[in-house]
């Protein structure tokens, strides 16, 4: 469990390092070949950059779980981490050379390799019954949140040395993560080698093929709607803070600390207890509905009140994310934990790419509309979940929407 937590913490921190700098880089920095590529509006270029990373994550995470199930989890994890470190190096060089095409390509390649977080989550799920599944996955999520806190906070201050410095820091963090995985992760079991070609594996074990299963699809739709709403917040609250309050990178980083601090505390300390008291179903409904309302209210507030609301938003996100992966792991482990966790990661990445592209266009009208859209999507996810029939105690196993 310690190895899973370390890998999740450092790996996520590497992913999150650039987030506080991208909006100021494209929206407030002096014009350059990078921010005015082909004469396109900086907001649209930023939307492309924001979309390419999760698009790479989508493609990578959809197969990395199956790769780990078949070729060995430590082997697959270490290999993809070193490739991701190389992607961060290319990003740093692209910023130094002011080359938008290289920067966009590097972000895509980095994302392609960073779907490996699904492997760590699969290992956490496999620790049951030695560690309760909800507890193990909650600890892993707490470390992921800590990475989202540590990464933007570090990035917000590393940018003082120039934007490229942030990506050099990301390369170092992910390389260290690879070394930790090699040293501390359990050795792959003998005989854990590929029995299919890579192409056959992609076709047969791709996590996205799980959408064909009605019992999984019923819950995956909820997951997609909720992730669309959460990603609208994640990706565009920096837009909103810059546009409405002229925030600088370190100020964006502080608000990120507020959100993720409450997410860490909620996930690490209270999720298992809340699940025992209220039940997983009630927590999902309350968390998704409450988050939707909060996101709709957020654009109405001033800077001080928004910071307070950010804290409550963190609790709502952690409530759903702390319970839903455990439900999926418990109900559908027969499909392979790598594939199931890969599906959740792929869904998150797909929604991140979609909301980055769609939200950037909506942000041309006003960034607050993207936050409102996120709130409506969270409410839609709660409505969808409430529509699922409860015909039996194992209702997700036989559920689809009426």
């Amino acid at each position: 469990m310690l190895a899973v937590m370390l890998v999740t913490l450092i790996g996520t921190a590497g992913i999150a390092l650039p987030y506080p700098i991208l909006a100021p880089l494209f929206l407030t920095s002096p014009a350059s070949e990078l921010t005015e590529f082909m004469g396109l509006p900086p907001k649209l270029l930023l939307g492309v950059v924001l979309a390419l990373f999760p698009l790479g994550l989508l493609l990578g995470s959809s197969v990395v779980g199956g790769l780990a199930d078949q070729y060995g989890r430590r082997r697959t994890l270490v290999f993809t981490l070193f490739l991701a470190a190389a992607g961060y190096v290319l990003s740093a060089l692209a910023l130094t050379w002011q080359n938008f095409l290289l920067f966009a390509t590097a972000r895509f390649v980095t994302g392609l390799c960073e779907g490996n977080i699904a492997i760590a989550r699969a290992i956490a799920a496999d620790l049951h019954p030695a560690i309760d599944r909800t507890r193990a996955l909650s600890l892993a999520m707490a470390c992921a949140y800590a990475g989202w806190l540590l990464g933007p906070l570090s990035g917000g201050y590393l940018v003082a040395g120039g934007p490229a410095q942030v990506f050099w820091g990301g390369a170092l963090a992910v390389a260290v993560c690879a070394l930790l995985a090699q040293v501390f992760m359990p050795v792959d079991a003998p005989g854990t080698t590929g029995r299919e070609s890579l192409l056959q594996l992609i076709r047969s074990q791709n996590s996205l093929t799980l959408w064909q299963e009605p019992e999984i699809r019923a819950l995956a739709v909820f997951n997609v709607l909720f992730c669309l709403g959460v990603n609208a917040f994640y990706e565009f609250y920096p837009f909103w803070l810059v546009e409405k309050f002229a925030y600088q990178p370190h100020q964006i980083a502080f608000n990120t600390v507020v959100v993720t601090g409450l997410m860490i505390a909620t996930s690490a300390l209270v999720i298992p207890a809340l699940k025992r008291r209220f039940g997983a179903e009630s927590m999902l409904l309350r968390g998704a509905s409450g988050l939707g309302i909060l996101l709709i209210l957020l654009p109405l507030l001033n800077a001080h009140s928004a910071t307070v609301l950010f804290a409550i938003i963190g609790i709502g996100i952690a409530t759903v994310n702390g319970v839903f992966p455990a439900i999926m792991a418990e109900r559908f482990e027969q499909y392979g934990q790598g594939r199931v966790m890969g599906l959740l990661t792929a869904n998150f990445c797909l929604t991140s790419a979609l909301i980055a592209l769609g939200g950037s266009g909506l942000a041309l009208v006003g960034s607050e509309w993207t936050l409102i859209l996120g709130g409506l999507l969270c409410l839609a996810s709660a409505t969808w979940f409430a529509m699922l029939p409860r015909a039996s105690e194992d209702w997700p196993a036989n559920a689809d929407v009426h």
Side-chain angles (χ1 to χ4, degrees):
M1 192 67 229
L2 178 61
V4 169
M5 293 169 70
L6 284 171
V7 168
T8 304
L9 171 66
I10 299 177
T12 310
I15 294 174
L17 265 173
Y19 276 29
I21 73 160
L22 291 178
L25 176 66
F26 279 86
L27 301 181
T28 62
S29 294
S32 66
E33 294 181 14
L34 179 75
T35 60
E36 293 191 348
F37 177 71
M38 294 181 63
L40 294 172
K43 283 188 178 181
L44 291 181
L45 293 176
L46 176 57
V48 170
V49 170
L50 288 174
L52 282 173
F53 183 82
L55 180 60
L57 271 172
L58 167 65
L59 297 177
S61 62
S62 65
V63 297
V64 75
L67 283 170
D69 285 340
Q70 180 148 337
Y71 291 112
R73 289 183 178 162
R74 186 176 73 168
R75 185 182 299 115
T76 307
L77 182 62
V78 171
F79 179 71
T80 53
L81 282 170
F82 276 122
L83 287 181
Y88 282 105
V89 170
L90 286 178
S91 297
L93 293 175
L95 287 179
T96 301
W97 299 334
Q98 294 290 295
N99 189 318
F100 178 82
L101 285 179
L102 179 60
F103 185 65
T105 302
R107 294 301 291 158
F108 175 77
V109 171
T110 306
L112 201 63
C113 302
E114 289 281 20
N116 48 36
I117 290 177
I119 302 174
R121 293 170 76 181
I123 294 172
D126 284 341
L127 293 175
H128 183 81
I131 301 177
D132 175 74
R133 217 171 246 134
T134 300
R135 178 63 176 165
L137 287 168
S138 292
L139 288 172
M141 288 302 298
C143 287
Y145 300 147
W148 288 111
L149 186 155
L150 178 64
L153 184 61
S154 301
Y157 288 95
L158 280 174
V159 74
Q165 191 72 25
V166 176
F167 289 91
W168 287 116
L172 178 61
V174 177
V176 169
C177 185
L179 294 175
L180 288 173
Q182 179 66 31
V183 172
F184 292 112
M185 283 289 184
V187 177
D188 295 322
T192 307
T193 55
R195 294 176 297 277
E196 300 179 82
S197 70
L198 181 59
L199 184 58
Q200 289 174 325
L201 179 64
I202 291 173
R203 289 175 176 173
S204 64
Q205 299 298 314
N206 191 311
S207 294
L208 295 179
T209 61
L210 293 178
W211 275 92
Q212 298 172 4
E213 306 296 332
E215 66 274 16
I216 293 180
R217 184 168 59 246
L219 292 177
V221 171
F222 163 81
N223 183 229
V224 165
L225 290 171
F226 182 76
C227 287
L228 280 169
V230 169
N231 277 313
F233 170 72
Y234 279 157
E235 296 184 12
F236 288 96
Y237 78 78
F239 261 54
W240 181 67
L241 292 174
V242 170
E243 192 170 70
K244 186 169 183 178
F245 305 118
Y247 270 24
Q248 297 301 309
H250 69 280
Q251 293 172 301
I252 297 174
F254 174 77
N255 279 269
T256 302
V257 167
V258 171
V259 175
T260 53
L262 267 294
M263 290 166 73
I264 293 168
T266 303
S267 189
L269 301 177
V270 301
I271 290 296
L274 288 176
K275 182 183 176 184
R276 287 192 297 270
R277 179 170 181 179
F278 298 107
E281 178 181 338
S282 176
M283 288 181 65
L284 289 180
L285 281 172
R286 294 182 185 190
S289 301
L291 182 61
I293 294 170
L294 293 174
L295 292 182
I296 292 172
L297 293 176
L298 183 60
L300 304 177
L301 304 180
N302 58 33
H304 177 73
S305 299
T307 301
V308 175
L309 196 61
F310 270 36
I312 307 174
I313 286 172
I315 295 173
I317 295 173
T319 298
V320 176
N321 286 344
V323 175
F324 188 74
I327 291 177
M328 296 295 287
E330 291 166 1
R331 301 285 183 175
F332 308 120
E333 62 180 338
Q334 68 271 23
Y335 294 96
Q337 296 291 7
R339 288 181 74 197
V340 173
M341 294 299 110
L343 175 65
L344 300 186
T345 305
N347 287 348
F348 183 84
C349 301
L350 173 63
T351 58
S352 182
L354 290 175
I355 207 68
L357 292 174
S360 62
L362 189 59
L364 294 175
V365 180
S367 56
E368 68 275 9
W369 291 107
T370 306
L371 297 177
I372 293 172
L373 174 63
L376 294 174
L377 286 166
C378 288
L379 290 175
S381 73
T383 302
W384 176 275
F385 189 79
M387 290 170 60
L388 292 177
R390 274 72 170 174
S392 62
E393 291 183 1
D394 63 340
W395 60 268
N398 298 298
D400 214 332
V401 174
H402 289 302

